[in-house]
Amino acid sequence: MERNEGLKIVEKQLTKKRYEHTVRVMETALELAKHYHVDEKKVEIAAIFHDYAKYRHPEEMKRWIIQEKLPHDLLNYHQELWHGPVGSKMIEREVGIRDPEIQSAIYWHTTGKRYMTLMDKVIFIADYIEPGRDFPGVEEVRSIVFADIDQACWMAARNTICFLMSKNQPVYPDTFQLYNEKIGRNM
Ligand code: DGI
Ligand code: FE
Ligand code: FE
Ligand code: FE
């Protein structure tokens, strides 16, 4: 699929702000893909479609989780986590994008997980550091991502966990497992 064809499809699914975020994620992800020798064409499609399901009604996403037999425990966590797994299925059914590597990167882009592929990591971290992001700690992640993408993903997981815990919010177990993967290697 051509870049402009994909962008036109997602533009209809997103708000103007989210669409602009998507273009920045695409640009950031392509820089990382070049640097880390990841398939640029696939990274481009994954980035364009990563937030495809973001504005679907929660009840619709819930139906997809059940019908597509996605992990039922997603329903016990914040709705914000559903658009990745649901989007990975929706793009297959609604757009005809059927590629396990692209779908995996979209599936895991919010929570992360341990043992991510390099493509998963590129999308996960591009979403976190695109130039429009301004959370505390993001500059430190930007400064290290071209030297050590694993360290960057670990920092993003740690920052998100700290942020969620400071608000007494639940944390999805895969985010903790991403955090622990790195700690385990260092100890
Ligand atoms: O869709 P985006 O806004 O571009 O970004 P995203 O898909 O990474 O969503 C991030 C939001 O998800 C962020 O505000 C934190 C929230 N969130 C809620 N629970 C969890 C979580 N993020 C992670 N990594 N783990 C959680 O358990
Ligand atoms: Fe997202
Ligand atoms: Fe993210
Ligand atoms: Fe995003």
Side-chain angles (χ1 to χ4, degrees):
M1 179 182 295
E2 286 302 313
R3 174 189 297 194
N4 287 337
E5 187 189 343
L7 286 172
K8 233 195 264 168
I9 293 168
V10 296
E11 192 171 15
K12 297 193 191 90
Q13 300 287 330
L14 303 175
T15 61
K16 185 160 180 285
K17 271 179 87 169
R18 180 67 39 184
Y19 175 74
E20 288 166 358
H21 156 77
T22 294
V23 173
R24 292 191 299 266
V25 171
M26 179 187 77
E27 287 163 353
T28 305
L30 283 172
E31 284 178 42
L32 290 166
K34 278 193 193 85
H35 183 82
Y36 284 109
H37 307 291
V38 185
D39 186 325
E40 289 175 43
K41 199 57 221 167
K42 289 193 185 194
V43 164
E44 181 175 279
I45 295 172
I48 289 170
F49 286 93
H50 83 281
D51 278 336
Y52 179 82
K54 183 95 174 172
Y55 295 103
R56 296 301 177 99
H57 195 284
E59 285 305 319
E60 186 187 5
M61 287 201 273
K62 207 182 260 186
R63 281 199 300 277
W64 277 77
I65 289 169
I66 294 160
Q67 282 166 12
E68 296 288 335
K69 300 193 169 59
L70 293 167
H72 222 272
D73 75 337
L74 283 168
L75 300 175
N76 302 329
Y77 291 87
H78 201 274
Q79 292 169 11
E80 192 59 38
L81 299 187
W82 301 352
H83 71 281
V86 169
S88 74
K89 299 294 180 183
M90 276 184 172
I91 59 156
E92 180 171 347
R93 303 262 183 272
E94 297 184 359
V95 190
I97 297 170
R98 186 169 166 201
D99 181 291
E101 290 181 292
I102 293 170
Q103 288 172 283
S104 169
I106 294 172
Y107 189 110
W108 295 108
H109 87 267
T110 304
T111 60
K113 65 162 181 167
R114 64 181 170 172
Y115 310 141
M116 286 195 285
T117 66
L118 205 41
M119 195 178 298
D120 296 339
K121 291 171 189 170
V122 163
I123 298 299
F124 174 79
I125 207 67
D127 184 42
Y128 191 82
I129 63 165
E130 62 93 346
R133 298 293 205 190
D134 188 24
F135 348 101
V138 72
E139 210 45 65
E140 199 188 353
V141 181
R142 285 184 185 124
S143 73
I144 197 153
V145 71
F146 285 96
D148 188 344
I149 197 171
D150 292 327
Q151 176 75 8
C153 290
W154 177 78
M155 289 165 109
R158 185 200 56 190
N159 290 353
T160 302
I161 289 167
C162 286
F163 168 78
L164 291 168
M165 288 182 77
S166 77
K167 302 197 150 213
N168 294 333
Q169 297 277 324
V171 179
Y172 197 64
D174 288 277
T175 308
F176 275 126
Q177 289 186 352
L178 167 56
Y179 171 81
N180 287 339
E181 179 192 7
K182 173 89 169 86
I183 297 292
R185 257 194 279 127
N186 283 348
M187 292 192 315

Short mmCIF file of all heavy atoms in Angstrom, two decimals, residues 91-139:
data_model
loop_
_atom_site.label_atom_id
_atom_site.label_comp_id
_atom_site.label_asym_id
_atom_site.label_seq_id
_atom_site.Cartn_x
_atom_site.Cartn_y
_atom_site.Cartn_z
N ILE A 91 -7.70 -3.73 11.04
CA ILE A 91 -7.05 -3.40 9.77
C ILE A 91 -7.05 -4.61 8.83
O ILE A 91 -7.06 -4.45 7.62
CB ILE A 91 -5.61 -2.85 9.94
CG1 ILE A 91 -4.73 -3.84 10.66
CG2 ILE A 91 -5.63 -1.49 10.62
CD1 ILE A 91 -3.25 -3.62 10.36
N GLU A 92 -7.07 -5.80 9.41
CA GLU A 92 -7.17 -6.99 8.55
C GLU A 92 -8.56 -7.09 7.94
O GLU A 92 -8.71 -7.26 6.72
CB GLU A 92 -6.84 -8.25 9.37
CG GLU A 92 -6.92 -9.50 8.53
CD GLU A 92 -6.39 -10.74 9.24
OE1 GLU A 92 -5.73 -10.62 10.30
OE2 GLU A 92 -6.65 -11.85 8.73
N ARG A 93 -9.58 -6.96 8.77
CA ARG A 93 -10.96 -7.14 8.30
C ARG A 93 -11.45 -5.96 7.45
O ARG A 93 -12.21 -6.14 6.51
CB ARG A 93 -11.91 -7.29 9.50
CG ARG A 93 -11.55 -8.42 10.41
CD ARG A 93 -12.36 -9.68 10.17
NE ARG A 93 -12.00 -10.68 11.16
CZ ARG A 93 -10.99 -11.56 11.00
NH1 ARG A 93 -10.28 -11.58 9.89
NH2 ARG A 93 -10.71 -12.42 11.97
N GLU A 94 -11.06 -4.74 7.84
CA GLU A 94 -11.64 -3.56 7.17
C GLU A 94 -10.75 -3.00 6.05
O GLU A 94 -11.24 -2.34 5.15
CB GLU A 94 -11.90 -2.44 8.21
CG GLU A 94 -12.91 -2.86 9.27
CD GLU A 94 -13.26 -1.74 10.25
OE1 GLU A 94 -12.69 -0.63 10.14
OE2 GLU A 94 -14.08 -2.01 11.15
N VAL A 95 -9.43 -3.22 6.15
CA VAL A 95 -8.53 -2.62 5.17
C VAL A 95 -7.80 -3.70 4.36
O VAL A 95 -7.24 -3.43 3.31
CB VAL A 95 -7.51 -1.68 5.86
CG1 VAL A 95 -6.72 -0.87 4.84
CG2 VAL A 95 -8.18 -0.75 6.86
N GLY A 96 -7.81 -4.94 4.88
CA GLY A 96 -7.14 -6.02 4.18
C GLY A 96 -5.64 -6.10 4.43
O GLY A 96 -4.91 -6.72 3.65
N ILE A 97 -5.18 -5.47 5.51
CA ILE A 97 -3.76 -5.57 5.85
C ILE A 97 -3.57 -6.80 6.71
O ILE A 97 -4.00 -6.84 7.87
CB ILE A 97 -3.28 -4.30 6.60
CG1 ILE A 97 -3.41 -3.07 5.71
CG2 ILE A 97 -1.83 -4.49 7.07
CD1 ILE A 97 -3.19 -1.77 6.45
N ARG A 98 -2.93 -7.81 6.11
CA ARG A 98 -2.72 -9.05 6.85
C ARG A 98 -1.25 -9.38 6.81
O ARG A 98 -0.74 -9.92 5.84
CB ARG A 98 -3.55 -10.15 6.20
CG ARG A 98 -3.48 -11.41 7.01
CD ARG A 98 -4.48 -12.42 6.53
NE ARG A 98 -4.15 -13.70 7.10
CZ ARG A 98 -4.57 -14.85 6.60
NH1 ARG A 98 -5.32 -14.87 5.53
NH2 ARG A 98 -4.22 -15.97 7.18
N ASP A 99 -0.56 -8.96 7.85
CA ASP A 99 0.88 -9.17 7.95
C ASP A 99 1.21 -9.29 9.42
O ASP A 99 1.06 -8.33 10.17
CB ASP A 99 1.62 -7.99 7.32
CG ASP A 99 3.12 -8.18 7.38
OD1 ASP A 99 3.69 -8.14 8.50
OD2 ASP A 99 3.73 -8.42 6.33
N PRO A 100 1.64 -10.47 9.87
CA PRO A 100 1.84 -10.71 11.30
C PRO A 100 2.80 -9.71 11.96
O PRO A 100 2.60 -9.33 13.11
CB PRO A 100 2.41 -12.12 11.38
CG PRO A 100 2.07 -12.76 10.07
CD PRO A 100 1.94 -11.67 9.06
N GLU A 101 3.82 -9.27 11.21
CA GLU A 101 4.79 -8.34 11.81
C GLU A 101 4.17 -6.96 12.03
O GLU A 101 4.36 -6.34 13.08
CB GLU A 101 6.02 -8.21 10.91
CG GLU A 101 6.88 -9.44 10.87
CD GLU A 101 8.08 -9.23 9.97
OE1 GLU A 101 7.90 -9.11 8.74
OE2 GLU A 101 9.20 -9.16 10.51
N ILE A 102 3.43 -6.49 11.02
CA ILE A 102 2.75 -5.19 11.14
C ILE A 102 1.69 -5.27 12.23
O ILE A 102 1.59 -4.39 13.10
CB ILE A 102 2.11 -4.80 9.79
CG1 ILE A 102 3.18 -4.53 8.75
CG2 ILE A 102 1.17 -3.60 9.95
CD1 ILE A 102 2.63 -4.37 7.31
N GLN A 103 0.91 -6.35 12.21
CA GLN A 103 -0.18 -6.49 13.19
C GLN A 103 0.35 -6.61 14.61
O GLN A 103 -0.24 -6.09 15.54
CB GLN A 103 -1.06 -7.68 12.81
CG GLN A 103 -1.90 -7.37 11.56
CD GLN A 103 -2.65 -8.59 11.04
OE1 GLN A 103 -2.05 -9.45 10.40
NE2 GLN A 103 -3.94 -8.67 11.32
N SER A 104 1.49 -7.28 14.79
CA SER A 104 2.09 -7.38 16.12
C SER A 104 2.52 -6.00 16.64
O SER A 104 2.27 -5.65 17.79
CB SER A 104 3.30 -8.32 16.06
OG SER A 104 4.04 -8.25 17.25
N ALA A 105 3.15 -5.22 15.78
CA ALA A 105 3.61 -3.89 16.20
C ALA A 105 2.43 -3.02 16.63
O ALA A 105 2.53 -2.27 17.60
CB ALA A 105 4.40 -3.23 15.08
N ILE A 106 1.32 -3.12 15.90
CA ILE A 106 0.13 -2.34 16.27
C ILE A 106 -0.47 -2.89 17.57
O ILE A 106 -0.83 -2.13 18.47
CB ILE A 106 -0.89 -2.36 15.11
CG1 ILE A 106 -0.30 -1.61 13.90
CG2 ILE A 106 -2.22 -1.75 15.54
CD1 ILE A 106 -1.12 -1.72 12.64
N TYR A 107 -0.52 -4.21 17.64
CA TYR A 107 -1.11 -4.85 18.84
C TYR A 107 -0.44 -4.36 20.12
O TYR A 107 -1.11 -4.02 21.09
CB TYR A 107 -0.95 -6.37 18.70
CG TYR A 107 -1.69 -7.19 19.74
CD1 TYR A 107 -2.80 -7.95 19.40
CD2 TYR A 107 -1.28 -7.20 21.08
CE1 TYR A 107 -3.48 -8.70 20.34
CE2 TYR A 107 -1.96 -7.94 22.03
CZ TYR A 107 -3.06 -8.69 21.65
OH TYR A 107 -3.73 -9.42 22.60
N TRP A 108 0.89 -4.31 20.12
CA TRP A 108 1.63 -4.05 21.36
C TRP A 108 2.05 -2.60 21.55
O TRP A 108 2.78 -2.27 22.48
CB TRP A 108 2.87 -4.96 21.41
CG TRP A 108 2.49 -6.40 21.48
CD1 TRP A 108 2.60 -7.34 20.49
CD2 TRP A 108 1.91 -7.08 22.61
NE1 TRP A 108 2.10 -8.56 20.93
CE2 TRP A 108 1.68 -8.43 22.22
CE3 TRP A 108 1.56 -6.68 23.91
CZ2 TRP A 108 1.11 -9.37 23.08
CZ3 TRP A 108 0.99 -7.62 24.76
CH2 TRP A 108 0.77 -8.95 24.35
N HIS A 109 1.59 -1.69 20.67
CA HIS A 109 2.19 -0.35 20.69
C HIS A 109 1.89 0.44 21.96
O HIS A 109 2.65 1.34 22.32
CB HIS A 109 1.79 0.46 19.45
CG HIS A 109 0.49 1.22 19.56
ND1 HIS A 109 -0.72 0.71 19.15
CD2 HIS A 109 0.20 2.44 20.09
CE1 HIS A 109 -1.68 1.59 19.40
NE2 HIS A 109 -1.15 2.65 19.97
N THR A 110 0.82 0.12 22.67
CA THR A 110 0.51 0.88 23.89
C THR A 110 1.17 0.28 25.13
O THR A 110 1.83 1.00 25.88
CB THR A 110 -1.02 0.94 24.12
OG1 THR A 110 -1.63 1.50 22.97
CG2 THR A 110 -1.35 1.81 25.34
N THR A 111 0.99 -1.03 25.33
CA THR A 111 1.50 -1.64 26.57
C THR A 111 2.97 -2.02 26.46
O THR A 111 3.65 -2.09 27.48
CB THR A 111 0.72 -2.93 26.91
OG1 THR A 111 0.87 -3.87 25.84
CG2 THR A 111 -0.75 -2.62 27.15
N GLY A 112 3.44 -2.32 25.25
CA GLY A 112 4.72 -3.01 25.15
C GLY A 112 4.57 -4.40 25.72
O GLY A 112 3.50 -4.79 26.22
N LYS A 113 5.63 -5.19 25.63
CA LYS A 113 5.67 -6.52 26.24
C LYS A 113 7.13 -6.95 26.27
O LYS A 113 7.98 -6.28 25.68
CB LYS A 113 4.84 -7.52 25.42
CG LYS A 113 5.39 -7.75 24.03
CD LYS A 113 4.85 -9.03 23.41
CE LYS A 113 5.43 -9.23 22.03
NZ LYS A 113 5.18 -10.56 21.50
N ARG A 114 7.41 -8.06 26.94
CA ARG A 114 8.80 -8.55 26.87
C ARG A 114 8.99 -9.27 25.53
O ARG A 114 8.03 -9.72 24.91
CB ARG A 114 9.12 -9.45 28.04
CG ARG A 114 8.31 -10.71 28.08
CD ARG A 114 8.69 -11.54 29.29
NE ARG A 114 7.72 -12.63 29.40
CZ ARG A 114 7.83 -13.63 30.25
NH1 ARG A 114 8.84 -13.69 31.09
NH2 ARG A 114 6.91 -14.58 30.29
N TYR A 115 10.23 -9.40 25.12
CA TYR A 115 10.60 -10.08 23.88
C TYR A 115 9.93 -9.45 22.66
O TYR A 115 9.44 -10.15 21.78
CB TYR A 115 10.26 -11.58 23.93
CG TYR A 115 10.76 -12.29 25.16
CD1 TYR A 115 9.98 -13.26 25.79
CD2 TYR A 115 12.01 -11.98 25.71
CE1 TYR A 115 10.43 -13.92 26.93
CE2 TYR A 115 12.47 -12.63 26.84
CZ TYR A 115 11.68 -13.60 27.45
OH TYR A 115 12.11 -14.24 28.57
N MET A 116 9.84 -8.13 22.61
CA MET A 116 9.32 -7.49 21.40
C MET A 116 10.30 -7.69 20.25
O MET A 116 11.52 -7.75 20.46
CB MET A 116 9.11 -5.99 21.64
CG MET A 116 7.89 -5.69 22.50
SD MET A 116 7.39 -3.95 22.42
CE MET A 116 8.66 -3.18 23.43
N THR A 117 9.77 -7.72 19.02
CA THR A 117 10.64 -7.71 17.85
C THR A 117 11.17 -6.28 17.68
O THR A 117 10.64 -5.32 18.26
CB THR A 117 9.87 -8.09 16.57
OG1 THR A 117 8.90 -7.06 16.31
CG2 THR A 117 9.16 -9.43 16.73
N LEU A 118 12.18 -6.15 16.82
CA LEU A 118 12.71 -4.81 16.57
C LEU A 118 11.62 -3.91 15.97
O LEU A 118 11.53 -2.72 16.30
CB LEU A 118 13.92 -4.94 15.64
CG LEU A 118 14.99 -3.85 15.66
CD1 LEU A 118 15.32 -3.35 17.05
CD2 LEU A 118 16.25 -4.38 14.96
N MET A 119 10.76 -4.49 15.12
CA MET A 119 9.67 -3.68 14.54
C MET A 119 8.68 -3.25 15.63
O MET A 119 8.23 -2.10 15.64
CB MET A 119 8.95 -4.46 13.44
CG MET A 119 8.07 -3.56 12.58
SD MET A 119 7.26 -4.44 11.24
CE MET A 119 8.65 -5.03 10.29
N ASP A 120 8.35 -4.16 16.55
CA ASP A 120 7.48 -3.79 17.69
C ASP A 120 8.10 -2.62 18.46
O ASP A 120 7.42 -1.66 18.83
CB ASP A 120 7.34 -4.95 18.69
CG ASP A 120 6.64 -6.19 18.15
OD1 ASP A 120 5.91 -6.09 17.16
OD2 ASP A 120 6.86 -7.26 18.76
N LYS A 121 9.40 -2.72 18.71
CA LYS A 121 10.09 -1.68 19.50
C LYS A 121 10.08 -0.34 18.77
O LYS A 121 9.90 0.71 19.40
CB LYS A 121 11.54 -2.10 19.79
CG LYS A 121 11.66 -3.28 20.76
CD LYS A 121 13.10 -3.79 20.82
CE LYS A 121 13.17 -5.09 21.62
NZ LYS A 121 14.50 -5.75 21.53
N VAL A 122 10.31 -0.38 17.46
CA VAL A 122 10.35 0.87 16.68
C VAL A 122 9.00 1.60 16.78
O VAL A 122 8.96 2.82 17.00
CB VAL A 122 10.73 0.57 15.21
CG1 VAL A 122 10.38 1.74 14.29
CG2 VAL A 122 12.22 0.24 15.11
N ILE A 123 7.90 0.87 16.65
CA ILE A 123 6.59 1.51 16.71
C ILE A 123 6.28 1.96 18.14
O ILE A 123 5.81 3.08 18.38
CB ILE A 123 5.49 0.56 16.17
CG1 ILE A 123 5.75 0.23 14.69
CG2 ILE A 123 4.10 1.15 16.37
CD1 ILE A 123 5.75 1.42 13.75
N PHE A 124 6.56 1.10 19.11
CA PHE A 124 6.31 1.43 20.51
C PHE A 124 7.04 2.72 20.91
O PHE A 124 6.45 3.62 21.51
CB PHE A 124 6.78 0.25 21.39
CG PHE A 124 6.71 0.51 22.87
CD1 PHE A 124 5.51 0.42 23.56
CD2 PHE A 124 7.87 0.82 23.59
CE1 PHE A 124 5.45 0.65 24.93
CE2 PHE A 124 7.81 1.05 24.96
CZ PHE A 124 6.60 0.97 25.63
N ILE A 125 8.29 2.82 20.53
CA ILE A 125 9.08 3.96 21.00
C ILE A 125 8.84 5.20 20.13
O ILE A 125 8.87 6.33 20.64
CB ILE A 125 10.59 3.58 21.12
CG1 ILE A 125 11.27 4.45 22.18
CG2 ILE A 125 11.32 3.68 19.80
CD1 ILE A 125 10.81 4.20 23.60
N ALA A 126 8.54 5.02 18.84
CA ALA A 126 8.21 6.18 17.98
C ALA A 126 6.94 6.85 18.50
O ALA A 126 6.84 8.09 18.52
CB ALA A 126 8.04 5.75 16.53
N ASP A 127 5.98 6.04 18.93
CA ASP A 127 4.74 6.59 19.50
C ASP A 127 5.04 7.39 20.77
O ASP A 127 4.41 8.41 21.04
CB ASP A 127 3.80 5.42 19.81
CG ASP A 127 2.44 5.86 20.31
OD1 ASP A 127 1.88 6.82 19.75
OD2 ASP A 127 1.92 5.23 21.25
N TYR A 128 6.03 6.94 21.50
CA TYR A 128 6.37 7.59 22.77
C TYR A 128 7.17 8.88 22.57
O TYR A 128 6.98 9.85 23.31
CB TYR A 128 7.18 6.60 23.64
CG TYR A 128 7.36 7.06 25.06
CD1 TYR A 128 6.37 6.87 26.02
CD2 TYR A 128 8.54 7.70 25.46
CE1 TYR A 128 6.53 7.29 27.32
CE2 TYR A 128 8.71 8.13 26.77
CZ TYR A 128 7.71 7.91 27.70
OH TYR A 128 7.87 8.35 28.99
N ILE A 129 8.06 8.91 21.58
CA ILE A 129 8.99 10.06 21.47
C ILE A 129 8.69 11.02 20.33
O ILE A 129 9.42 11.98 20.14
CB ILE A 129 10.46 9.60 21.31
CG1 ILE A 129 10.64 8.82 20.00
CG2 ILE A 129 10.93 8.82 22.52
CD1 ILE A 129 12.10 8.65 19.60
N GLU A 130 7.64 10.76 19.52
CA GLU A 130 7.41 11.65 18.36
C GLU A 130 7.46 13.11 18.85
O GLU A 130 7.13 13.37 20.00
CB GLU A 130 6.11 11.27 17.64
CG GLU A 130 4.82 11.39 18.46
CD GLU A 130 4.14 12.74 18.30
OE1 GLU A 130 4.76 13.67 17.78
OE2 GLU A 130 2.99 12.84 18.76
N PRO A 131 7.88 14.04 17.97
CA PRO A 131 8.19 15.40 18.43
C PRO A 131 7.06 16.15 19.14
O PRO A 131 7.31 17.10 19.87
CB PRO A 131 8.59 16.14 17.15
CG PRO A 131 8.77 15.12 16.11
CD PRO A 131 8.20 13.84 16.55
N GLY A 132 5.82 15.70 18.97
CA GLY A 132 4.70 16.35 19.66
C GLY A 132 4.54 15.94 21.11
O GLY A 132 3.76 16.53 21.86
N ARG A 133 5.26 14.91 21.55
CA ARG A 133 5.13 14.40 22.93
C ARG A 133 5.92 15.27 23.87
O ARG A 133 7.02 15.71 23.56
CB ARG A 133 5.66 12.97 23.02
CG ARG A 133 4.92 11.96 22.17
CD ARG A 133 3.51 11.74 22.63
NE ARG A 133 3.03 10.42 22.23
CZ ARG A 133 1.77 10.04 22.33
NH1 ARG A 133 0.84 10.87 22.80
NH2 ARG A 133 1.42 8.82 21.94
N ASP A 134 5.39 15.42 25.06
CA ASP A 134 6.01 16.32 26.02
C ASP A 134 5.87 15.81 27.45
O ASP A 134 5.59 16.57 28.36
CB ASP A 134 5.35 17.72 25.85
CG ASP A 134 6.05 18.78 26.66
OD1 ASP A 134 7.25 18.61 26.95
OD2 ASP A 134 5.39 19.78 27.01
N PHE A 135 5.97 14.49 27.65
CA PHE A 135 5.89 14.04 29.05
C PHE A 135 7.24 14.21 29.73
O PHE A 135 8.27 14.24 29.06
CB PHE A 135 5.49 12.57 29.24
CG PHE A 135 4.97 11.83 28.06
CD1 PHE A 135 5.78 10.97 27.33
CD2 PHE A 135 3.64 11.98 27.68
CE1 PHE A 135 5.28 10.26 26.26
CE2 PHE A 135 3.13 11.26 26.61
CZ PHE A 135 3.96 10.40 25.92
N PRO A 136 7.21 14.25 31.09
CA PRO A 136 8.48 14.28 31.82
C PRO A 136 9.30 13.04 31.46
O PRO A 136 8.76 11.94 31.42
CB PRO A 136 8.06 14.24 33.30
CG PRO A 136 6.60 14.48 33.35
CD PRO A 136 6.03 14.19 32.00
N GLY A 137 10.55 13.22 31.16
CA GLY A 137 11.42 12.08 30.88
C GLY A 137 11.58 11.77 29.40
O GLY A 137 12.45 10.99 29.02
N VAL A 138 10.75 12.38 28.54
CA VAL A 138 10.79 11.99 27.13
C VAL A 138 12.10 12.42 26.46
O VAL A 138 12.63 11.71 25.60
CB VAL A 138 9.55 12.53 26.36
CG1 VAL A 138 9.60 14.02 26.16
CG2 VAL A 138 9.40 11.82 25.01
N GLU A 139 12.66 13.52 26.90
CA GLU A 139 13.90 14.02 26.32
C GLU A 139 15.05 13.03 26.55
O GLU A 139 15.88 12.79 25.66
CB GLU A 139 14.23 15.40 26.91
CG GLU A 139 14.98 16.32 26.00
CD GLU A 139 14.45 16.36 24.57
OE1 GLU A 139 13.31 16.83 24.33
OE2 GLU A 139 15.20 15.91 23.68
#
